[in-house]
Amino acid sequence: SFKALFLALGMAPQIVRRNTEERLQIEAEMDALLQPGTETTLIKVGRVKVLQRAQGRVQFEKLANGGKLWRQWPGVIEEIDTGDQSNSAEAVRTPPVMKPPSPEFLQRRRSRSSVSQSDLPLSIAQPGPVQVPQHAPSRVQEQPAPTANPQPQESIVTVSDDTIKASWAAFLEAKEVLDAVHCYQALRIACSVPEGAFGRAAFDPVLEATVPSQVPHKTKSLVKDLASNFKLRPAHTGTKVMRVLVSGAGPVGLRAAVEAALMGMHVTVLEKRNEFSRVNILMLWQQTADDLVSYAARTFYPRFTNRNIGNSPLHMGTREIQLVFLKNALLLGVAFRYGSELVAVQAPAADAISWMAWARSAESNVTSQTANDVLAFKPSKTGEYHLAKGMGKCNMLQTSELDTTFALAHTEIPPQGIELVSFDALLLAEGEWSTTCKRLGVAKSIDRFAQAIGLVINLKFDPTEPKTKDPKMRSFVITPIDEVGRQLKAARVNFEFAEYLKGETHYIVVTIKKSSLLEHGALRADLPANTLLSRDNLDKEALMKLARTIANVVGLPESTEFADFHPAKLFDFSTRARCLAPFRVLSVREGGARVGEVCATDLEAHAYLREEESKWLQRNLDTSVAELEVRNQEMVELDAAIADLTTSLQNSL
C-alpha cells in the first residue's frame, strides 16, 4: 500500500486543510514522497489529490468543495492558493501559486505551539529518578482548584514539532509509575495544556497539537480514539464540576478514574504504592479485552490482541492493564498522588460544599503484593466475620459502625503532614480488604467454598528463546484430562485447573491440591485451614523445586530463569468478600445533642435513591424479558429446522 511505502522511504511534508471551524485538521500523513525523476504518480488522500511530477515538484488539485490547502515543511509553513483548477487530474499541469501565510493563520499556529511556564496540576509523593526530554523540563506541584474554562498563561514560548514528538516517544516508552507521570508533565508543556486543566480541557490541547504534528500514525490514532470515547458519554453541563476522589490505583480504580474524567469530573487518585507491584496475568472476557483495545492497549503493548488465536485465551498482565489506564487517565488530566494514603474524611463547614479528604505520605509501601517472598500471604479472610441470622455455613457477615475518628466534623484541625483534597464523591478501590470500607461502616458478606489453594509461578520471558516463541508455544489452559494435565498427574501434581499465559513473564497458575503440597514437602504438616499456609508450615526450597517441575512439564526449558519478583507464591482463595450495598451516603447531623457529627446511611434511607434503584431494577427486568423472548423465538426456529432436517433424512432413506 501507499502508506507502507511512505513509512519505508522516510519523512515528508504533511498536507492539511482548514475546516469550517477555522481549525487545522490533518488530512493525511505521508512520511515520504517519491524521489525526483520518477514517473507521474497520482495519490488521492481524502478530499485532496496530490500529484508528483517527474521534476519532483508537489502539485495540488482543488476538488469541488473548494477551500485552501497548506503544505508544512520542517520549520516552514506555506499557504497555497489552489486557484480555479478543475476537478480533473489531467487539468493539473502547473505548480500552484505560493504566497506568504496570512497573519491570522500564523497566530493560530503559534497558539497551538505555545506553552505556559507555570506549574502543572500533578502531585507526586516521593518522586524517583526518571528520564524525560531535556527540552521539556517537568515540575511537580500541588493540585490547584479546578476552573470551568482554565485560561493559558501569558508567559509563552514556542515549542517545535520535534519537542512534541520526543515528548510522546518518552511517554509511550515509560513502563513505571513515576516515569509515566513525569513524561506526561513534559507532554503537557509541549502541547500547551493550561494550568489546572482537567478532563476535556486537558485533553483537547494534546489532541490539537498531536494530530497535525509529525508524530507516528499510531500516536495520532491513540488520541483520536480517546477523543471518540467522549462522544459515548453525556456532555457536561452547568458550572458545577463534581470532584471525585479515587482511593486505590489498581485496574479498577484507574478504570473508574478514566470513566469519571470522560464524564467531565475533576478526578484525583490516591495510591499507597508508587510502583506497579502486581505481576500476575489475567484471563479476560471478550468485552474486557475490547474495552482495553478502545483505550489504545495495542499501542502501548503491540503484542496484545482482543482476538482469539487458536486455543490461546485472551489475557493481559495486571501491571500492563494498570499502565494502559494510567496513561489514559493522565491524558485526561487526572491528578495522581502516589505514595499517599487516605487517613480520614472531613465534613464541609456551613459555608462550604465539598468534603475534605485527609491524605498523608504512606508510612510503608509494603503489602502482600509488594512483599517478594513465597511466604508473604494475604491476611485471613475469616478473622472478623461472624454468622448472621438466616445464613448457612458457607456465608458470613462483617458489620461495623461508622468510625468517628475517621469521619470527622468540620471543626477538626488537621495535624502537620496532612494534605487536604476536596471531593464530592469518594470511590473506594482499595481491594477486597479495604480498611476504609470498614471504617465507613460498609457491611460485607463473605462466601466460603471448599478449600482452594493457588500456586503462582513466574519465570523470565526471553523473546529470543526458539522453544517458547509464537507459534511454537502460545498461552493455553490445562485440565487433568488433556495431554499436559496427564503429564502433571504423572509428576504427582494433583490439581483441578491450570493456566499458562505468556506476557511480560511466563506465568503459570495452578489450583493445586493440598495432598500434592504435602507429598512434595512444600507443606510440612496437614494443619487446620487457618494455619495451613503459615510461615512455619512452609518449606521454600521444596516449593521452588515443585514450581520447576511444573514449569518443565508445561514446556519451558530447564534453563528458563525464575522471575526476580514473585517467582513462586501460594495463596488461599477459598473465600470471597463483597459489599452488600454499592455505596453509602455521608451527611451531617443538623440538630440535637450530636449536631455537626458525621453520619452514614445506606441507599434504603433515602427515598429518591430507593426510587432510582427501583427504576434500575425495572429496566433490567424489561431487558431480561426481551432477551428471553428472543431466545425463545430462536429455540422455536431451531426446533423447526431440526424437524425439517429429520424429515429430509427420513425421506432420503
Side-chain angles (χ1 to χ4, degrees), residues 3 15 25 141 167 221 223 237 319 323 354 373 386 418 461 478 480 517 608-609:
K3 182 169 180 57
I15 288 93
Q25 293 183 345
Q141 295 292 336
S167 299
S221 296
V223 294
T237 58
R319 61 174 286 120
L323 190 62
S354 296
D373 188 357
H386 61 273
I418 291 295
F461 173 68
I478 308 168
L517 294 173
Y608 72 97
L609 293 178

Side-chain angles (χ1 to χ4, degrees), residues 130-155:
V130 296
Q131 298 294 328
V132 297
Q134 295 181 0
H135 48 263
S138 61
R139 291 191 294 269
V140 182
Q141 295 292 336
E142 299 299 324
Q143 173 72 44
T147 56
N149 296 293
Q151 299 295 323
Q153 304 298 305
E154 294 182 358
S155 176

Side-chain angles (χ1 to χ4, degrees), residues 164 168 191 205-215 219-220 223:
I164 296 175
W168 264 113
C191 297
V206 177
L207 175 68
E208 294 176 7
T210 300
V211 170
S213 70
Q214 296 182 4
V215 300
T219 305
K220 298 182 181 184
V223 294

Side-chain angles (χ1 to χ4, degrees), residues 416-434:
Q416 186 175 2
I418 291 295
E419 179 187 5
L420 298 179
V421 183
S422 61
F423 70 92
D424 303 302
L426 171 63
L427 302 183
L428 298 179
E430 299 175 346
E432 193 174 7
W433 290 99
S434 165

